[in-house]
Amino acid sequence: EPEVTQTPSHQVTQMGQEVILRCVPISNHLYFYWYRQILGQKVEFLVSFYNNEISEKSEIFDDQFSVERPDGSNFTLKIRSTKLEDSAMYFCASSVFVPGDTEAFFGQGTRLTVV
Amino acid sequence: AQTVTQSQPEMSVQEAETVTLSCTYDTSESNYYLFWYKQPPSRQMILVIRQEAYKQQNATENRFSVNFQKAAKSFSLKISDSQLGDTAMYFCAFMIGETSGSRLTFGEGTQLTVNP
């Protein structure tokens, strides 16, 4: 069964460093997303991406964040200068939009720890 | 803006019994989807069940079913014959239906523990 794959599963980084989280969405999906979940809290939307551009972003997704689809398979989230409060689980998701049959498939997540 | 509320932070149930998790939402949209996601200790998000707002019939997936009350904006999840593997955090989520690539808005989650 096709699945969304995220790497690495766990990333530890120093405060102020840049980090790139990687995702391989399901191959025929056209919509890509990043969500984050701070430990013990709910899952929050960061950004959605379609046709090589951001289609929607939340207030969390400030200038420190960027997304890119550098080739035909990968979808990345970059945090330019990490802060302690960026420590969270980051989920990538992908979907097709079929009226009446919409579902977002999630990856297993990347646990980011900023020290 | 859409909001999703889960008023039960924790619930427990005995194995083989039935449990119902509550969810309410607020929206002015008429076309939308509702979901229940399960997050086990591995923290992966797994889709349990989906409901299209235009469908009056409640969705069912094996032991999981929903009670969708559109007028009341309520979307509860019933788990029948609970199993130990059902122990997880359960999130209710909302998505606008007309716009492709819409975001999911999640509730705060309910931690369900199934006891042997």
Side-chain angles (χ1 to χ4, degrees):
Chain A
E1 185 175 331
E3 59 181 15
V4 177
T5 305
Q6 290 185 242
T7 55
S9 56
H10 189 192
Q11 172 97 39
V12 180
T13 189
Q14 296 273 349
M15 188 170 57
Q17 294 295 305
E18 175 184 285
V19 65
I20 297 176
L21 309 183
R22 292 184 166 79
C23 169
V24 179
I26 295 173
S27 61
N28 65 329
H29 286 186
L30 301 176
Y31 301 91
F32 314 119
Y33 313 83
W34 284 101
Y35 291 83
R36 82 170 185 192
Q37 184 185 28
I38 296 171
L39 185 65
Q41 298 186 22
K42 64 179 174 182
V43 180
E44 301 173 290
F45 169 78
L46 290 177
V47 65
S48 59
F49 191 87
Y50 170 71
N51 199 25
N52 282 321
E53 61 183 23
I54 291 173
S55 52
E56 188 182 4
K57 61 183 180 179
S58 73
E59 57 279 3
I60 303 169
F61 194 88
D62 61 21
D63 292 344
Q64 292 297 313
F65 292 90
S66 63
V67 289
E68 191 178 33
R69 188 157 163 80
D71 53 42
S73 60
N74 289 285
F75 178 53
T76 62
L77 173 70
K78 182 194 291 186
I79 309 175
R80 288 191 182 81
S81 178
T82 51
K83 309 183 190 88
L84 294 176
E85 54 264 36
D86 293 327
S87 294
M89 194 77 160
Y90 288 81
F91 292 101
C92 174
S94 69
S95 71
V96 293
F97 182 72
V98 178
D101 190 24
T102 293
E103 176 183 339
F105 291 81
F106 282 78
Q108 77 277 24
T110 293
R111 184 187 303 273
L112 176 65
T113 303
V114 183
V115 297
Chain B
Q2 284 61 236
T3 59
V4 179
T5 303
Q6 294 177 248
S7 58
Q8 305 154 315
E10 297 179 358
M11 292 195 73
S12 62
V13 63
Q14 291 300 119
E15 195 175 6
E17 295 192 345
T18 295
V19 63
T20 299
L21 309 184
S22 300
C23 172
T24 58
Y25 59 95
D26 190 23
T27 184
S28 57
E29 302 288 336
S30 58
N31 183 9
Y32 53 88
Y33 299 90
L34 294 162
F35 305 85
W36 278 97
Y37 279 88
K38 170 184 178 180
Q39 187 180 47
S42 67
R43 297 190 74 185
Q44 175 144 21
M45 297 291 287
I46 302 165
L47 179 67
V48 174
I49 199 165
R50 175 185 63 212
Q51 174 79 42
E52 292 86 349
Y54 64 86
K55 289 187 178 177
Q56 293 187 342
Q57 186 172 8
N58 289 324
T60 299
E61 288 286 342
N62 300 314
R63 298 183 294 107
F64 299 87
S65 61
V66 298
N67 183 5
F68 174 46
Q69 301 289 326
K70 191 171 184 178
K73 295 180 180 172
S74 169
F75 182 61
S76 60
L77 174 70
K78 186 170 85 171
I79 306 174
S80 304
D81 186 25
S82 298
Q83 300 175 359
L84 296 178
D86 296 333
T87 292
M89 181 72 88
Y90 287 81
F91 290 99
C92 178
F94 173 101
M95 176 191 284
I96 295 173
E98 294 153 346
T99 306
S100 55
S102 291
R103 66 166 76 181
L104 282 163
T105 300
F106 288 88
E108 304 88 341
T110 296
Q111 175 65 47
L112 176 68
T113 302
V114 181
N115 299 308

Short mmCIF file of all heavy atoms in Angstrom, two decimals, chain A residues 23-76:
data_model
loop_
_atom_site.label_atom_id
_atom_site.label_comp_id
_atom_site.label_asym_id
_atom_site.label_seq_id
_atom_site.Cartn_x
_atom_site.Cartn_y
_atom_site.Cartn_z
N CYS A 23 10.27 14.67 3.08
CA CYS A 23 9.06 13.88 2.92
C CYS A 23 8.98 13.39 1.48
O CYS A 23 9.33 14.13 0.55
CB CYS A 23 7.85 14.75 3.25
SG CYS A 23 6.24 14.06 2.83
N VAL A 24 8.54 12.16 1.30
CA VAL A 24 8.21 11.66 -0.02
C VAL A 24 6.72 11.36 -0.02
O VAL A 24 6.27 10.39 0.60
CB VAL A 24 9.01 10.40 -0.38
CG1 VAL A 24 8.60 9.90 -1.77
CG2 VAL A 24 10.50 10.67 -0.34
N PRO A 25 5.92 12.21 -0.66
CA PRO A 25 4.47 11.99 -0.69
C PRO A 25 4.11 10.77 -1.55
O PRO A 25 4.96 10.24 -2.28
CB PRO A 25 3.93 13.28 -1.31
CG PRO A 25 5.05 14.27 -1.23
CD PRO A 25 6.30 13.48 -1.29
N ILE A 26 2.88 10.38 -1.51
CA ILE A 26 2.39 9.31 -2.37
C ILE A 26 2.44 9.80 -3.82
O ILE A 26 2.05 10.94 -4.11
CB ILE A 26 0.98 8.87 -1.94
CG1 ILE A 26 1.06 8.25 -0.55
CG2 ILE A 26 0.36 7.91 -2.93
CD1 ILE A 26 -0.27 7.92 0.08
N SER A 27 2.86 8.93 -4.72
CA SER A 27 3.31 9.38 -6.05
C SER A 27 2.24 10.07 -6.88
O SER A 27 2.54 10.97 -7.63
CB SER A 27 3.89 8.20 -6.82
OG SER A 27 2.89 7.21 -7.01
N ASN A 28 1.00 9.70 -6.82
CA ASN A 28 -0.01 10.34 -7.66
C ASN A 28 -0.75 11.47 -6.94
O ASN A 28 -1.72 12.01 -7.46
CB ASN A 28 -1.01 9.30 -8.17
CG ASN A 28 -1.83 8.68 -7.05
OD1 ASN A 28 -1.33 8.55 -5.93
ND2 ASN A 28 -3.05 8.30 -7.33
N HIS A 29 -0.30 11.83 -5.75
CA HIS A 29 -0.94 12.92 -5.02
C HIS A 29 -0.41 14.26 -5.51
O HIS A 29 0.74 14.39 -5.92
CB HIS A 29 -0.71 12.76 -3.51
CG HIS A 29 -1.53 11.67 -2.92
ND1 HIS A 29 -1.57 11.43 -1.57
CD2 HIS A 29 -2.35 10.74 -3.49
CE1 HIS A 29 -2.38 10.41 -1.33
NE2 HIS A 29 -2.86 9.98 -2.48
N LEU A 30 -1.28 15.26 -5.42
CA LEU A 30 -0.95 16.58 -5.94
C LEU A 30 -0.89 17.65 -4.86
O LEU A 30 -0.37 18.73 -5.11
CB LEU A 30 -1.98 17.00 -6.98
CG LEU A 30 -2.14 16.08 -8.19
CD1 LEU A 30 -3.26 16.59 -9.08
CD2 LEU A 30 -0.84 16.00 -8.97
N TYR A 31 -1.43 17.35 -3.68
CA TYR A 31 -1.49 18.33 -2.61
C TYR A 31 -0.61 17.84 -1.45
O TYR A 31 -0.71 16.68 -1.06
CB TYR A 31 -2.94 18.53 -2.13
CG TYR A 31 -3.85 18.97 -3.24
CD1 TYR A 31 -4.54 18.05 -4.01
CD2 TYR A 31 -4.01 20.32 -3.53
CE1 TYR A 31 -5.35 18.46 -5.05
CE2 TYR A 31 -4.82 20.74 -4.56
CZ TYR A 31 -5.49 19.79 -5.32
OH TYR A 31 -6.28 20.20 -6.35
N PHE A 32 0.18 18.74 -0.93
CA PHE A 32 1.13 18.36 0.11
C PHE A 32 1.00 19.33 1.28
O PHE A 32 0.70 20.52 1.09
CB PHE A 32 2.56 18.39 -0.43
CG PHE A 32 2.71 17.72 -1.77
CD1 PHE A 32 3.14 18.42 -2.87
CD2 PHE A 32 2.38 16.38 -1.92
CE1 PHE A 32 3.26 17.80 -4.11
CE2 PHE A 32 2.50 15.76 -3.15
CZ PHE A 32 2.94 16.48 -4.26
N TYR A 33 1.24 18.81 2.46
CA TYR A 33 1.00 19.57 3.68
C TYR A 33 2.10 19.31 4.70
O TYR A 33 2.70 18.24 4.73
CB TYR A 33 -0.33 19.15 4.34
CG TYR A 33 -1.51 19.04 3.41
CD1 TYR A 33 -1.73 17.88 2.67
CD2 TYR A 33 -2.43 20.08 3.28
CE1 TYR A 33 -2.81 17.77 1.81
CE2 TYR A 33 -3.52 19.96 2.43
CZ TYR A 33 -3.70 18.81 1.71
OH TYR A 33 -4.78 18.70 0.86
N TRP A 34 2.29 20.29 5.56
CA TRP A 34 3.06 20.09 6.78
C TRP A 34 2.19 20.50 7.97
O TRP A 34 1.52 21.55 7.94
CB TRP A 34 4.35 20.90 6.80
CG TRP A 34 5.43 20.33 5.94
CD1 TRP A 34 5.81 20.73 4.70
CD2 TRP A 34 6.29 19.22 6.26
NE1 TRP A 34 6.83 19.96 4.23
CE2 TRP A 34 7.16 19.03 5.16
CE3 TRP A 34 6.43 18.38 7.37
CZ2 TRP A 34 8.13 18.03 5.13
CZ3 TRP A 34 7.40 17.39 7.34
CH2 TRP A 34 8.23 17.22 6.24
N TYR A 35 2.21 19.64 8.98
CA TYR A 35 1.55 19.90 10.25
C TYR A 35 2.58 19.72 11.35
O TYR A 35 3.59 19.02 11.17
CB TYR A 35 0.40 18.91 10.50
CG TYR A 35 -0.79 19.08 9.60
CD1 TYR A 35 -0.81 18.53 8.32
CD2 TYR A 35 -1.91 19.78 10.02
CE1 TYR A 35 -1.91 18.67 7.48
CE2 TYR A 35 -3.02 19.93 9.19
CZ TYR A 35 -3.01 19.38 7.93
OH TYR A 35 -4.11 19.53 7.12
N ARG A 36 2.33 20.32 12.51
CA ARG A 36 3.20 20.05 13.64
C ARG A 36 2.36 19.79 14.88
O ARG A 36 1.21 20.22 14.99
CB ARG A 36 4.17 21.21 13.87
CG ARG A 36 3.58 22.35 14.66
CD ARG A 36 4.60 23.35 15.09
NE ARG A 36 3.98 24.36 15.93
CZ ARG A 36 4.55 25.50 16.28
NH1 ARG A 36 5.79 25.78 15.86
NH2 ARG A 36 3.92 26.35 17.05
N GLN A 37 3.00 19.07 15.80
CA GLN A 37 2.34 18.74 17.06
C GLN A 37 3.35 18.90 18.18
O GLN A 37 4.25 18.07 18.32
CB GLN A 37 1.77 17.32 17.03
CG GLN A 37 0.98 16.96 18.27
CD GLN A 37 0.52 15.52 18.27
OE1 GLN A 37 1.15 14.65 17.67
NE2 GLN A 37 -0.59 15.24 18.94
N ILE A 38 3.20 19.96 18.95
CA ILE A 38 4.00 20.11 20.14
C ILE A 38 3.53 19.07 21.15
O ILE A 38 2.34 18.78 21.24
CB ILE A 38 3.88 21.54 20.70
CG1 ILE A 38 4.46 22.53 19.66
CG2 ILE A 38 4.56 21.69 22.05
CD1 ILE A 38 4.23 23.98 19.98
N LEU A 39 4.47 18.51 21.89
CA LEU A 39 4.16 17.40 22.80
C LEU A 39 2.99 17.74 23.71
O LEU A 39 2.99 18.78 24.39
CB LEU A 39 5.40 17.06 23.63
CG LEU A 39 5.27 15.85 24.54
CD1 LEU A 39 5.08 14.58 23.70
CD2 LEU A 39 6.50 15.70 25.42
N GLY A 40 1.99 16.85 23.69
CA GLY A 40 0.83 17.03 24.57
C GLY A 40 -0.23 17.96 24.03
O GLY A 40 -1.24 18.19 24.69
N GLN A 41 -0.01 18.51 22.82
CA GLN A 41 -0.96 19.45 22.26
C GLN A 41 -1.58 18.89 20.98
O GLN A 41 -1.24 17.80 20.53
CB GLN A 41 -0.27 20.79 22.01
CG GLN A 41 0.27 21.44 23.26
CD GLN A 41 0.81 22.83 23.01
OE1 GLN A 41 0.47 23.48 22.03
NE2 GLN A 41 1.67 23.30 23.91
N LYS A 42 -2.48 19.67 20.41
CA LYS A 42 -3.16 19.18 19.22
C LYS A 42 -2.30 19.40 17.98
O LYS A 42 -1.31 20.14 18.00
CB LYS A 42 -4.52 19.83 19.05
CG LYS A 42 -4.50 21.32 18.80
CD LYS A 42 -5.93 21.80 18.64
CE LYS A 42 -6.03 23.30 18.55
NZ LYS A 42 -7.43 23.76 18.43
N VAL A 43 -2.69 18.75 16.92
CA VAL A 43 -2.01 18.87 15.65
C VAL A 43 -2.41 20.19 14.99
O VAL A 43 -3.60 20.52 14.91
CB VAL A 43 -2.37 17.69 14.73
CG1 VAL A 43 -1.67 17.81 13.39
CG2 VAL A 43 -2.03 16.36 15.41
N GLU A 44 -1.41 20.94 14.53
CA GLU A 44 -1.66 22.27 13.96
C GLU A 44 -1.19 22.31 12.51
O GLU A 44 -0.09 21.85 12.17
CB GLU A 44 -0.90 23.34 14.73
CG GLU A 44 -1.23 23.42 16.20
CD GLU A 44 -0.30 24.38 16.91
OE1 GLU A 44 0.90 24.05 17.06
OE2 GLU A 44 -0.77 25.47 17.31
N PHE A 45 -1.97 22.92 11.67
CA PHE A 45 -1.64 23.11 10.26
C PHE A 45 -0.54 24.15 10.11
O PHE A 45 -0.57 25.21 10.76
CB PHE A 45 -2.89 23.55 9.52
CG PHE A 45 -2.66 24.02 8.11
CD1 PHE A 45 -2.47 23.12 7.08
CD2 PHE A 45 -2.65 25.38 7.82
CE1 PHE A 45 -2.28 23.57 5.79
CE2 PHE A 45 -2.46 25.83 6.54
CZ PHE A 45 -2.27 24.93 5.51
N LEU A 46 0.44 23.85 9.26
CA LEU A 46 1.47 24.83 8.94
C LEU A 46 1.27 25.41 7.54
O LEU A 46 1.16 26.61 7.35
CB LEU A 46 2.86 24.20 9.01
CG LEU A 46 3.38 23.81 10.40
CD1 LEU A 46 4.75 23.13 10.27
CD2 LEU A 46 3.48 25.00 11.30
N VAL A 47 1.24 24.51 6.54
CA VAL A 47 1.25 24.99 5.16
C VAL A 47 0.73 23.91 4.23
O VAL A 47 0.84 22.72 4.51
CB VAL A 47 2.70 25.38 4.76
CG1 VAL A 47 3.62 24.16 4.76
CG2 VAL A 47 2.77 26.11 3.45
N SER A 48 0.11 24.36 3.14
CA SER A 48 -0.26 23.44 2.07
C SER A 48 0.40 23.92 0.77
O SER A 48 0.68 25.11 0.60
CB SER A 48 -1.77 23.34 1.90
OG SER A 48 -2.33 24.60 1.62
N PHE A 49 0.61 22.98 -0.14
CA PHE A 49 1.44 23.24 -1.32
C PHE A 49 0.81 22.53 -2.49
O PHE A 49 0.46 21.35 -2.41
CB PHE A 49 2.84 22.68 -1.03
CG PHE A 49 3.91 23.06 -2.01
CD1 PHE A 49 4.62 24.23 -1.85
CD2 PHE A 49 4.25 22.22 -3.06
CE1 PHE A 49 5.64 24.58 -2.72
CE2 PHE A 49 5.26 22.55 -3.94
CZ PHE A 49 5.96 23.73 -3.77
N TYR A 50 0.66 23.24 -3.60
CA TYR A 50 0.06 22.65 -4.80
C TYR A 50 0.64 23.33 -6.02
O TYR A 50 0.82 24.55 -6.03
CB TYR A 50 -1.46 22.81 -4.76
CG TYR A 50 -2.15 22.45 -6.05
CD1 TYR A 50 -2.23 21.13 -6.46
CD2 TYR A 50 -2.70 23.44 -6.88
CE1 TYR A 50 -2.85 20.79 -7.66
CE2 TYR A 50 -3.31 23.11 -8.07
CZ TYR A 50 -3.40 21.78 -8.45
OH TYR A 50 -4.00 21.45 -9.64
N ASN A 51 0.94 22.57 -7.03
CA ASN A 51 1.41 23.12 -8.29
C ASN A 51 2.63 24.00 -8.08
O ASN A 51 2.74 25.10 -8.63
CB ASN A 51 0.28 23.89 -8.98
CG ASN A 51 0.52 24.10 -10.45
OD1 ASN A 51 1.24 23.34 -11.09
ND2 ASN A 51 -0.06 25.15 -10.99
N ASN A 52 3.53 23.53 -7.24
CA ASN A 52 4.81 24.19 -6.98
C ASN A 52 4.70 25.55 -6.30
O ASN A 52 5.60 26.39 -6.44
CB ASN A 52 5.63 24.32 -8.27
CG ASN A 52 6.29 23.01 -8.65
OD1 ASN A 52 6.77 22.27 -7.80
ND2 ASN A 52 6.29 22.72 -9.93
N GLU A 53 3.62 25.75 -5.59
CA GLU A 53 3.54 26.97 -4.80
C GLU A 53 2.68 26.76 -3.57
O GLU A 53 1.86 25.83 -3.52
CB GLU A 53 3.01 28.15 -5.63
CG GLU A 53 1.62 27.96 -6.19
CD GLU A 53 1.20 29.14 -7.04
OE1 GLU A 53 2.07 29.87 -7.55
OE2 GLU A 53 -0.02 29.34 -7.19
N ILE A 54 2.90 27.62 -2.59
CA ILE A 54 2.11 27.55 -1.37
C ILE A 54 0.68 27.96 -1.68
O ILE A 54 0.43 29.00 -2.29
CB ILE A 54 2.71 28.48 -0.29
CG1 ILE A 54 4.05 27.92 0.20
CG2 ILE A 54 1.75 28.63 0.88
CD1 ILE A 54 4.80 28.84 1.15
N SER A 55 -0.28 27.13 -1.29
CA SER A 55 -1.68 27.47 -1.50
C SER A 55 -2.32 28.07 -0.25
O SER A 55 -3.25 28.86 -0.35
CB SER A 55 -2.48 26.26 -1.98
OG SER A 55 -2.29 25.16 -1.13
N GLU A 56 -1.81 27.69 0.90
CA GLU A 56 -2.32 28.26 2.15
C GLU A 56 -1.26 28.09 3.23
O GLU A 56 -0.52 27.11 3.23
CB GLU A 56 -3.61 27.54 2.57
CG GLU A 56 -4.32 28.18 3.75
CD GLU A 56 -5.57 27.43 4.19
OE1 GLU A 56 -5.86 26.35 3.62
OE2 GLU A 56 -6.25 27.91 5.11
N LYS A 57 -1.18 29.04 4.14
CA LYS A 57 -0.28 28.90 5.28
C LYS A 57 -0.93 29.48 6.52
O LYS A 57 -1.78 30.36 6.44
CB LYS A 57 1.07 29.56 5.02
CG LYS A 57 1.00 31.05 4.76
CD LYS A 57 2.39 31.59 4.45
CE LYS A 57 2.32 33.09 4.20
NZ LYS A 57 3.67 33.66 3.90
N SER A 58 -0.52 28.97 7.66
CA SER A 58 -1.07 29.44 8.92
C SER A 58 -0.18 30.55 9.49
O SER A 58 0.91 30.83 8.98
CB SER A 58 -1.17 28.29 9.92
OG SER A 58 0.12 27.93 10.38
N GLU A 59 -0.66 31.13 10.57
CA GLU A 59 0.10 32.21 11.22
C GLU A 59 1.40 31.69 11.83
O GLU A 59 2.32 32.46 12.10
CB GLU A 59 -0.77 32.89 12.27
CG GLU A 59 -1.32 31.99 13.34
CD GLU A 59 -2.56 31.22 12.92
OE1 GLU A 59 -3.00 31.33 11.76
OE2 GLU A 59 -3.08 30.45 13.77
N ILE A 60 1.47 30.38 12.05
CA ILE A 60 2.69 29.78 12.59
C ILE A 60 3.80 29.82 11.54
O ILE A 60 4.98 29.97 11.86
CB ILE A 60 2.44 28.32 13.00
CG1 ILE A 60 1.32 28.21 14.02
CG2 ILE A 60 3.71 27.67 13.52
CD1 ILE A 60 0.85 26.80 14.26
N PHE A 61 3.43 29.70 10.31
CA PHE A 61 4.38 29.58 9.19
C PHE A 61 4.92 30.96 8.85
O PHE A 61 4.46 31.61 7.90
CB PHE A 61 3.69 28.94 8.00
CG PHE A 61 4.63 28.46 6.93
CD1 PHE A 61 5.18 27.19 6.99
CD2 PHE A 61 4.95 29.27 5.84
CE1 PHE A 61 6.03 26.74 5.99
CE2 PHE A 61 5.80 28.83 4.85
CZ PHE A 61 6.35 27.56 4.92
N ASP A 62 5.92 31.42 9.63
CA ASP A 62 6.47 32.75 9.40
C ASP A 62 7.71 32.66 8.50
O ASP A 62 7.96 31.63 7.88
CB ASP A 62 6.77 33.42 10.74
CG ASP A 62 7.80 32.65 11.57
OD1 ASP A 62 8.57 31.85 10.99
OD2 ASP A 62 7.82 32.83 12.81
N ASP A 63 8.47 33.74 8.46
CA ASP A 63 9.61 33.82 7.54
C ASP A 63 10.71 32.82 7.86
O ASP A 63 11.62 32.63 7.04
CB ASP A 63 10.19 35.23 7.56
CG ASP A 63 9.24 36.24 6.96
OD1 ASP A 63 8.28 35.80 6.27
OD2 ASP A 63 9.42 37.45 7.19
N GLN A 64 10.68 32.21 9.03
CA GLN A 64 11.69 31.22 9.38
C GLN A 64 11.45 29.89 8.66
O GLN A 64 12.33 29.04 8.61
CB GLN A 64 11.68 30.97 10.89
CG GLN A 64 12.16 32.15 11.71
CD GLN A 64 13.60 32.49 11.41
OE1 GLN A 64 14.47 31.62 11.36
NE2 GLN A 64 13.88 33.76 11.19
N PHE A 65 10.24 29.71 8.15
CA PHE A 65 9.87 28.46 7.50
C PHE A 65 9.83 28.63 5.99
O PHE A 65 9.46 29.69 5.48
CB PHE A 65 8.48 28.01 7.98
CG PHE A 65 8.39 27.60 9.42
CD1 PHE A 65 8.10 28.53 10.40
CD2 PHE A 65 8.60 26.28 9.79
CE1 PHE A 65 8.00 28.16 11.73
CE2 PHE A 65 8.50 25.90 11.12
CZ PHE A 65 8.20 26.84 12.09
N SER A 66 10.18 27.57 5.30
CA SER A 66 9.98 27.55 3.86
C SER A 66 9.76 26.10 3.42
O SER A 66 10.15 25.17 4.12
CB SER A 66 11.18 28.15 3.11
OG SER A 66 12.34 27.39 3.35
N VAL A 67 9.09 25.94 2.30
CA VAL A 67 8.85 24.61 1.75
C VAL A 67 9.30 24.60 0.30
O VAL A 67 9.33 25.64 -0.38
CB VAL A 67 7.37 24.17 1.83
CG1 VAL A 67 6.97 23.88 3.27
CG2 VAL A 67 6.45 25.21 1.20
N GLU A 68 9.62 23.41 -0.15
CA GLU A 68 10.13 23.27 -1.50
C GLU A 68 9.86 21.86 -2.00
O GLU A 68 9.81 20.92 -1.21
CB GLU A 68 11.65 23.52 -1.49
CG GLU A 68 12.28 23.67 -2.83
CD GLU A 68 13.77 23.97 -2.72
OE1 GLU A 68 14.41 23.48 -1.79
OE2 GLU A 68 14.28 24.69 -3.59
N ARG A 69 9.66 21.78 -3.29
CA ARG A 69 9.59 20.47 -3.94
C ARG A 69 10.75 20.45 -4.94
O ARG A 69 10.58 20.79 -6.10
CB ARG A 69 8.24 20.30 -4.61
CG ARG A 69 8.00 18.90 -5.13
CD ARG A 69 6.50 18.65 -5.24
NE ARG A 69 6.17 17.52 -6.07
CZ ARG A 69 6.21 16.25 -5.68
NH1 ARG A 69 6.60 15.96 -4.46
NH2 ARG A 69 5.87 15.28 -6.49
N PRO A 70 11.92 20.05 -4.48
CA PRO A 70 13.13 20.22 -5.29
C PRO A 70 13.20 19.31 -6.51
O PRO A 70 13.90 19.60 -7.46
CB PRO A 70 14.25 19.89 -4.30
CG PRO A 70 13.62 19.03 -3.26
CD PRO A 70 12.20 19.50 -3.15
N ASP A 71 12.45 18.20 -6.47
CA ASP A 71 12.43 17.30 -7.61
C ASP A 71 11.03 16.71 -7.70
O ASP A 71 10.11 17.20 -7.04
CB ASP A 71 13.51 16.21 -7.47
CG ASP A 71 13.41 15.50 -6.13
OD1 ASP A 71 12.28 15.19 -5.70
OD2 ASP A 71 14.45 15.26 -5.51
N GLY A 72 10.86 15.65 -8.47
CA GLY A 72 9.51 15.13 -8.66
C GLY A 72 8.97 14.29 -7.52
O GLY A 72 7.82 13.90 -7.55
N SER A 73 9.81 14.04 -6.51
CA SER A 73 9.34 13.14 -5.47
C SER A 73 9.42 13.71 -4.06
O SER A 73 8.58 13.39 -3.22
CB SER A 73 10.11 11.82 -5.53
OG SER A 73 11.49 12.06 -5.34
N ASN A 74 10.40 14.56 -3.78
CA ASN A 74 10.58 15.04 -2.41
C ASN A 74 9.82 16.33 -2.14
O ASN A 74 9.59 17.15 -3.03
CB ASN A 74 12.07 15.28 -2.14
CG ASN A 74 12.84 13.99 -2.05
OD1 ASN A 74 12.76 13.28 -1.06
ND2 ASN A 74 13.59 13.67 -3.09
N PHE A 75 9.45 16.50 -0.87
CA PHE A 75 8.80 17.72 -0.41
C PHE A 75 9.45 18.06 0.93
O PHE A 75 9.46 17.24 1.83
CB PHE A 75 7.30 17.47 -0.25
CG PHE A 75 6.50 18.64 0.27
CD1 PHE A 75 6.59 19.88 -0.33
CD2 PHE A 75 5.63 18.47 1.33
CE1 PHE A 75 5.84 20.95 0.14
CE2 PHE A 75 4.87 19.53 1.81
CZ PHE A 75 4.97 20.77 1.21
N THR A 76 10.06 19.23 1.02
CA THR A 76 10.86 19.54 2.21
C THR A 76 10.31 20.73 2.98
O THR A 76 9.70 21.64 2.41
CB THR A 76 12.32 19.84 1.83
OG1 THR A 76 12.36 20.99 0.98
CG2 THR A 76 12.95 18.66 1.12
#
